[in-house]
Amino acid sequence: MLELQPMIHKFKMKDKYFCLDVNSGIIHVIDELTDRVLDIYDGSNREAVHEALDATENASELDELMDEIDELIKEEMLYAPMSEEFKLVVEEKPIVKALCLNIAHDCNLACKYCFASQGDYGGVKRELMSFDVAKRAVDFLIAMSGTRQHCEIDFFGGEPLLNWDVVKQTVEYVESIQAAHNKIFKLTLTTNGVLLTQDKIDYVNEHNISLVLSIDGREEVHNRMRPSAGGTDTYKTVAKNLVNAVKQRDGREYYVRGTYTHNNLDFTKDVIAMSDLGFEHLSMEPVVGKEGEYVLRYEDLPILEKEYEKLADLYLQRQKDGWGEKFNFFHFRMDLYRGPCMAKRLRGCGAGHEYMAIVPNGDIYPCHQFVGRDGYVLGNVFEGLKNFDIPREFRNTHVFTKPTCAKCWAKFFCSGGCHANNETFGGSIKEPYELGCKLQKKRIECAIMIQAELDEMNQDTAVQA
């Protein structure tokens, strides 16, 4: 296992300088001189700082600044050592806690960027999951989760509303048995919204099912990338149904996600369009693909980085204007102080060992994005797990075992990236998807800037009060 050395990351945004201590997660807002000193100083090389800066800076002021840095290092707020807790988490026993039920390998849309090939996952037979398979999947999760009380199931596809009766049967089966097994299930439904009629809205609300709703922002952008299976526009139907559903959530969990591509690098306009429809909890994800006129290219990166800064400015202004939860952009609402649990910092979603996907014939895959890929069937819900090598490999693949990640300042925020994307673009789950990494780093920097600005604003408000 690679040992993680003390590390900092510095950057400038909105005329302010920021320094993240990687191992502790502490964020410092610094001045320009401190930024230059930290280009050199690591707590042990004062002479190098004086040699480089005495010609332009006061030597005694440099010493005072380095004294302050030394105090931060002593308090493990700068150049902090790796936490022993990281090592303990690596050695924990694995336990399955969540399933993605591909309840329908079919779809009523023909999204051009769909990783699931419009529902059939690249040649996997188009079919709907039977209740028998869904029931067996629930039983599998109960057995594999051991004494863990909280479990999760996401109804996925394709489009799960094409198999609505089985969704309802599964929900009611879960509710009928969870107490007997001392379980509490969180249920989520991911839908494109075309079939999200009032009766379905009433049902998901009654059963407190979380919703993930898909729409791509502006009407012309959505219609270009998300036509129906017959090739017709879908925006008006989807927007109407999603607005109707969100208006009735009454505090229940949901978020609305879009996808941006090479064709809409100005995706801030799409986020605004989603917000203008009344959606408060938003996400806009970069497309992942290797072919097609819509795929992102490295030459797009400078444009995208500026676009994220533009979106961050909009987000920050709306927070200052009192929008609060009315404009909650997923990638900028990072809990930078407490952060995700340690296991998620190291391994992300837990695909292949904590989280698995079940397809209509009952086969088990490491996650929904590995469905249909050769060599990734782990077993079947009728027979249980058969392939234990892949879950072991996935569990033992984390930021400590990825050389690229171990040297990266963002590792505890992105957790090494998506295994499926890494394999697709890097040829291995251990080799991060480079373009995705760069976009993730920019989002993290924007989130850090936003948090610092909001903290300063809250402090000013408290002083005035």
Side-chain angles (χ1 to χ4, degrees):
M1 183 176 77
L2 292 170
E3 291 293 328
L4 298 182
Q5 300 302 316
M7 182 185 302
I8 63 172
H9 172 66
K10 302 186 294 90
F11 66 98
K12 181 182 179 182
M13 193 179 297
K14 290 180 71 69
D15 296 323
K16 290 187 177 180
Y17 295 86
F18 301 89
C19 178
L20 166 71
D21 182 70
V22 174
N23 286 345
S24 71
I26 294 172
I27 298 159
H28 304 274
V29 181
I30 59 177
D31 59 24
E32 187 267 344
L33 178 59
T34 305
D35 179 75
R36 284 195 286 139
V37 169
L38 286 173
D39 281 338
I40 306 166
Y41 190 54
D42 62 7
S44 65
N45 58 343
R46 286 192 176 222
E47 296 80 6
V49 175
H50 284 297
E51 183 177 343
L53 300 179
D54 277 0
T56 57
E57 305 297 335
N58 183 286
S60 61
E61 289 183 8
L62 289 174
D63 279 324
E64 289 178 8
L65 178 53
M66 286 186 280
D67 287 342
E68 294 176 6
I69 293 173
D70 286 343
E71 188 62 31
L72 292 173
I73 293 173
K74 180 180 177 181
E75 294 176 3
E76 297 188 354
M77 298 175 69
L78 202 63
Y79 291 114
M82 183 182 72
S83 169
E84 289 297 314
E85 189 178 354
F86 290 152
K87 297 179 181 179
L88 293 174
V89 169
V90 168
E91 298 168 1
E92 287 178 351
K93 183 179 178 181
I95 188 168
V96 180
K97 56 183 76 168
L99 288 183
C100 178
L101 287 191
N102 282 21
I103 207 85
H105 269 192
D106 201 356
C107 194
N108 46 8
L109 295 191
C111 302
K112 296 178 182 178
Y113 50 63
C114 181
F115 75 89
S117 300
Q118 290 81 50
D120 70 0
Y121 286 82
V124 177
K125 180 182 176 183
R126 288 186 182 271
E127 60 182 325
L128 304 181
M129 183 179 287
S130 68
F131 174 59
D132 185 35
V133 170
K135 178 176 178 294
R136 298 264 187 162
V138 173
D139 295 340
F140 169 80
L141 178 56
I142 288 173
M144 294 296 293
S145 60
T147 59
R148 178 182 173 84
Q149 186 177 33
H150 291 273
C151 297
E152 299 180 22
I153 289 178
D154 181 12
F155 295 103
F156 201 75
E159 172 49 51
L161 295 186
L162 291 173
N163 199 9
W164 178 240
D165 286 343
V166 172
V167 170
K168 291 193 297 182
Q169 286 177 290
T170 308
V171 170
E172 286 151 24
Y173 178 65
V174 165
E175 292 175 344
S176 71
I177 65 167
Q178 60 182 350
H181 293 279
N182 192 33
K183 302 292 183 185
I184 299 173
F185 276 80
K186 177 185 176 182
L187 303 178
T188 301
L189 178 77
T190 299
T191 177
N192 60 39
V194 173
L195 299 176
L196 193 56
T197 50
Q198 187 60 50
D199 60 311
K200 297 179 179 69
I201 294 170
D202 292 341
Y203 187 90
V204 298
N205 288 347
E206 178 185 351
H207 295 269
N208 198 31
I209 299 172
S210 299
L211 290 177
V212 179
L213 307 167
S214 297
I215 189 170
D216 276 1
R218 289 166 289 178
E219 183 171 1
E220 62 273 20
V221 172
H222 178 96
N223 284 336
R224 179 172 184 172
M225 298 305 298
R226 299 180 66 84
S228 72
T232 60
D233 291 346
T234 62
Y235 176 84
K236 285 185 168 55
T237 297
V238 169
K240 177 183 176 182
N241 290 349
L242 268 53
V243 167
N244 188 37
V246 166
K247 283 181 177 178
Q248 300 176 63
R249 289 308 280 169
D250 294 327
R252 300 177 185 88
E253 188 177 73
Y254 80 90
Y255 85 92
V256 178
R257 72 175 307 280
T259 299
Y260 71 80
T261 73
H262 177 73
N263 297 326
N264 61 314
L265 301 179
D266 58 345
F267 59 82
T268 297
K269 294 178 181 178
D270 295 294
V271 175
I272 292 172
M274 294 158 71
S275 177
D276 288 347
L277 287 173
F279 305 141
E280 299 175 1
H281 309 293
L282 304 170
S283 170
M284 181 61 72
E285 310 284 347
V287 70
V288 177
K290 298 185 76 171
E291 298 177 351
E293 46 82 26
Y294 59 83
V295 300
L296 298 175
R297 302 138 200 200
Y298 275 94
E299 55 263 36
D300 294 335
L301 190 58
I303 299 171
L304 292 172
E305 289 180 335
K306 289 186 179 299
E307 192 68 15
Y308 273 118
E309 291 188 16
K310 182 177 180 180
L311 180 57
D313 287 341
L314 172 70
Y315 180 92
L316 187 58
Q317 188 58 52
R318 289 198 172 188
Q319 298 307 305
K320 290 181 176 180
D321 290 345
W323 281 59
E325 287 299 311
K326 293 181 180 179
F327 191 70
N328 178 3
F329 186 70
F330 176 77
H331 290 297
F332 293 162
R333 289 297 295 264
M334 300 169 63
D335 191 337
L336 297 169
Y337 299 119
R338 290 174 297 176
C341 69
M342 200 66 71
K344 281 192 174 294
R345 292 190 194 186
L346 301 184
R347 299 190 183 89
C349 66
H353 56 99
E354 295 178 340
Y355 164 78
M356 297 178 182
I358 313 295
V359 300
N361 70 357
D363 282 348
I364 305 168
Y365 284 85
C367 84
H368 58 285
Q369 295 212 58
F370 279 94
V371 171
R373 299 193 190 192
D374 292 339
Y376 281 101
V377 176
L378 306 182
N380 190 281
V381 293
F382 296 97
E383 301 171 351
L385 289 180
K386 298 294 183 182
N387 183 332
F388 296 95
D389 292 337
I390 290 176
R392 189 178 301 113
E393 179 187 8
F394 276 50
R395 180 160 185 84
N396 291 332
T397 300
H398 45 74
V399 297
F400 295 167
T401 61
K402 298 177 180 180
T404 302
C405 296
K407 296 180 288 185
C408 176
W409 65 267
K411 54 182 165 279
F412 297 133
F413 294 101
C414 79
S415 311
C418 168
H419 286 329
N421 292 346
N422 292 351
E423 187 200 55
T424 298
F425 291 91
S428 166
I429 65 173
K430 294 181 172 63
E431 187 58 41
Y433 165 41
E434 187 177 1
L435 181 57
C437 286
K438 291 183 182 296
L439 294 174
Q440 176 75 312
K441 289 175 187 176
K442 189 61 184 182
R443 291 195 298 252
I444 295 167
E445 288 182 344
C446 289
I448 289 172
M449 179 276 292
I450 288 168
Q451 188 65 66
E453 291 280 325
L454 291 178
D455 285 352
E456 182 179 322
M457 180 184 73
N458 292 335
Q459 290 171 5
D460 291 343
T461 301
V463 169
Q464 293 172 8

